Amino acid sequence: MSVLKQKRAVSKAEFINVAYQIHVETLNFLTRLSARYARMLQEPVAKLSGEVLDHAEKANSIFPSDPQRISIRKAHLLEARASLMALDVRLTLCYDVMSQNPEGAFTTSKGKSVSASDATAKLDKMAQSLGDLIDRENELLKGAVKSLGQRQAPK
């Protein structure tokens, strides 16, 4: 039986789903970079988004059954959050670069450039979506770390 949408709680492992969404949207965002900048920016930024996903998956695969496992899981959660914060900074750099020539980042289905105002609107929408996901992932990771800290506390 399904749970009503308003009665649903956030899954404790939701940080994995959001990390996956961040990785996919980051890759999509990076494909908009011109070839001139792509060589310098794409690989390190894609690597950071991959690190967020990898550390989230690693943390989730460790069941916190004893202090050592709790410590390892927490370390992966903290690594995921550190990579997330670095990714946020790098994506801001990519956004600034693309904002200098937004029409170069988008084309129509017929291969023609999109107007500067339409391109700027699309770029802003993509950046806002990624920013919202990053904020959400940050909160989820902080919550996961906090719940592990409560698990470690002496009873």
Side-chain angles (χ1 to χ4, degrees), residues 13-29 45-46 48-58 60 80 84 87 91 129-130 133-134 136-138 140-141:
E14 182 66 14
F15 62 89
I16 294 168
N17 296 331
V18 176
Y20 179 81
Q21 287 177 301
I22 288 170
H23 189 57
V24 169
E25 285 200 28
T26 297
L27 295 177
N28 187 29
F29 190 73
V45 176
L48 281 171
S49 70
E51 284 177 11
V52 174
L53 179 59
D54 291 346
H55 283 294
E57 286 286 354
K58 288 175 183 180
N60 191 55
L84 182 70
L87 175 64
L91 285 172
S129 174
L130 257 171
L133 283 172
I134 288 171
R136 184 165 177 228
E137 180 72 352
N138 186 34
L140 291 168
L141 289 171

Side-chain angles (χ1 to χ4, degrees), residues 73-74 77-78 81 140-150:
R73 182 177 173 126
K74 184 176 182 180
L77 290 169
L78 292 172
R81 187 166 180 277
L140 291 168
L141 289 171
K142 286 194 306 189
V145 168
K146 184 177 178 183
S147 76
L148 277 178
Q150 292 169 348

Side-chain angles (χ1 to χ4, degrees), residues 79-100:
E79 285 288 338
R81 187 166 180 277
S83 293
L84 182 70
M85 296 296 97
L87 175 64
D88 192 23
V89 171
R90 292 289 183 103
L91 285 172
T92 300
L93 172 65
C94 291
Y95 174 81
D96 289 343
V97 166
M98 285 189 261
S99 293
Q100 293 173 8

Side-chain angles (χ1 to χ4, degrees), residues 104-136:
F106 298 94
T107 56
T108 65
S109 60
K110 295 180 181 177
K112 297 188 179 192
S113 291
V114 175
S115 70
S117 61
D118 289 345
T120 299
K122 285 183 176 192
L123 184 59
D124 288 348
K125 185 177 178 183
M126 290 177 79
Q128 182 64 47
S129 174
L130 257 171
D132 291 345
L133 283 172
I134 288 171
D135 290 345
R136 184 165 177 228

Side-chain angles (χ1 to χ4, degrees), residues 1-19:
M1 176 173 236
S2 296
V3 177
L4 294 174
K5 191 171 185 176
Q6 63 266 25
K7 302 265 186 191
R8 292 180 193 162
V10 175
S11 166
K12 292 188 190 259
E14 182 66 14
F15 62 89
I16 294 168
N17 296 331
V18 176

Side-chain angles (χ1 to χ4, degrees), residues 51-72:
E51 284 177 11
V52 174
L53 179 59
D54 291 346
H55 283 294
E57 286 286 354
K58 288 175 183 180
N60 191 55
S61 71
I62 299 168
F63 186 75
S65 57
D66 58 56
Q68 182 181 9
R69 288 175 187 258
I70 289 171
S71 176
I72 294 170

